[in-house]
Amino acid sequence: MAVTYKKMFKLLIDRDMKKQQLAEKAGISPATISKMAAGENVTMEIVEKICLALNCKVDDIAEFVEGTSSNEKAGR
């Protein structure tokens, strides 16, 4: 299983918020948001910061999807 953050990007669109604004509000780097857009793993600490910044729950921004996880792609 893989994690997708498409829900987070849709939420940003719905709230008329740019990725850079989220990064600043959550105190994370824009590179981290780019990792999320690419479907790469991020820590739960990052997810928590985003949820606090957007005042939402984890399932509002992320979901599991069928497919290869980042660990499987890396041969771990």
Side-chain angles (χ1 to χ4, degrees):
M1 287 241 169
V3 176
T4 181
Y5 297 98
K6 288 180 182 179
K7 290 173 117 180
M8 178 184 76
F9 295 108
K10 182 175 181 334
L11 187 61
L12 292 178
I13 291 167
D14 292 345
R15 294 186 182 188
D16 196 29
M17 180 182 259
K18 297 189 183 312
K19 295 175 194 174
Q20 179 64 36
Q21 292 171 310
L22 174 61
E24 291 170 5
K25 187 171 183 177
I28 60 176
S29 73
T32 299
I33 295 177
S34 294
K35 282 179 65 173
M36 295 172 85
E40 296 180 28
N41 289 333
V42 296
T43 66
M44 285 306 295
E45 180 181 357
I46 296 295
V47 173
E48 178 185 20
K49 287 180 178 185
I50 291 169
C51 287
L52 290 172
L54 295 176
N55 191 30
C56 67
K57 297 179 282 183
V58 173
D59 62 344
D60 293 328
I61 65 166
E63 66 182 333
F64 286 103
V65 294
E66 292 296 325
T68 306
S69 72
S70 296
N71 288 341
E72 292 169 351
K73 290 178 191 173
R76 295 180 191 150

